[in-house]
């Protein structure tokens, strides 16, 4: 089933995946603050979900993690 597919997919993830840390991240679109003082720690092999209302900054956090955006701080 679906869980078996997810398990097989996770087996293919390289064990050399590095952990990720965001500390006190600040990001603005123009003058509008989107993220203020955000901390996030992801360890290799973890499965995470970002939840929150529209406009909470979920997509911005992912863009920062992927290097598509650069934080102000």
């Amino acid at each position: 089933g679906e869980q078996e597919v997810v398990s097989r997919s996770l087996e293919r993830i390289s064990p050399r995946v590095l952990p990720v840390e965001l500390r006190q991240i600040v990001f603005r679109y123009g003058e509008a603050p989107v993220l203020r003082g955000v901390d996030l720690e992801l360890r290799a092999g973890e499965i995470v979900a970002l939840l929150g209302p529209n406009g909470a900054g979920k997509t911005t956090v992912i863009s920062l993690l992927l290097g598509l955006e650069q934080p102000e701080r």
Side-chain angles (χ1 to χ4, degrees), residues 45-69:
E46 280 187 320
I47 298 173
V48 242
L50 292 177
L51 304 174
N54 291 345
K58 301 175 300 291
T59 302
T60 301
V61 167
I62 292 170
S63 294
L64 290 166
L65 289 171
L66 294 174
L68 301 174
E69 299 282 358

Side-chain angles (χ1 to χ4, degrees), residues 12-72:
R12 288 183 282 203
I13 295 176
S14 169
R16 295 182 292 154
V17 174
L18 299 175
V20 173
E21 283 187 27
L22 300 179
R23 295 284 177 231
Q24 294 300 301
I25 294 297
V26 173
F27 187 86
R28 299 175 200 280
Y29 284 112
E31 293 296 315
V34 178
L35 303 173
R36 287 179 278 183
V38 171
D39 291 333
L40 177 67
E41 185 175 318
L42 304 175
R43 294 189 179 108
E46 280 187 320
I47 298 173
V48 242
L50 292 177
L51 304 174
N54 291 345
K58 301 175 300 291
T59 302
T60 301
V61 167
I62 292 170
S63 294
L64 290 166
L65 289 171
L66 294 174
L68 301 174
E69 299 282 358
Q70 295 299 312
E72 182 177 310

